[in-house]
Amino acid sequence: MSPYQTGATEITLALAIVKTLVLVVGGVITYFAFKAYRRTRQRALGLLAGGFGLVTLGLVLAGMLYELLGVQLELGILLESLLVLAGFLVIAYSLYVQ
């Protein structure tokens, strides 16, 4: 038995749970930001909602691409990082615009 396989199933399960929680919490934050945008029609809140949506999508994307579509893990992580970066840039811009 390889020492690298010890606990692999538990770690995979924990990662799936954490990523699911990130998706749920990020989705709720995005929903509330979008709801605030619809209520006020302030462009900054719309950008904020979009930024949080990109960050949430990015944080969940790498594992989904790897597990469901068979994409190389490194490529999935690169795409994840690019979406998170884009989301943070949109969030920063939304705070600057106001």
Side-chain angles (χ1 to χ4, degrees):
M1 178 174 221
S2 171
Y4 299 110
Q5 295 300 323
T6 305
T9 303
E10 291 84 3
I11 292 173
T12 302
L13 180 61
L15 185 57
I17 291 170
V18 170
K19 289 290 188 172
T20 301
L21 290 172
V22 166
L23 180 63
V24 170
V25 173
V28 169
I29 292 170
T30 302
Y31 170 74
F32 284 136
F34 183 71
K35 190 175 169 184
Y37 164 72
R38 280 195 347 208
R39 188 176 60 247
T40 64
R41 292 295 178 194
Q42 289 184 358
R43 182 171 179 252
L45 286 174
L47 289 169
L48 187 67
F52 276 118
L54 284 172
V55 169
T56 301
L57 178 64
L59 289 173
V60 175
L61 188 66
M64 283 180 27
L65 287 174
Y66 176 72
E67 289 294 331
L68 300 178
L69 300 177
V71 173
Q72 288 180 353
L73 186 59
E74 293 83 5
L75 179 60
I77 291 172
L78 175 62
L79 293 173
E80 170 189 32
S81 299
L82 288 171
L83 279 174
V84 170
L85 174 63
F88 282 145
L89 287 171
V90 171
I91 289 170
Y93 182 71
S94 76
L95 296 172
Y96 176 76
V97 167
Q98 190 64 5

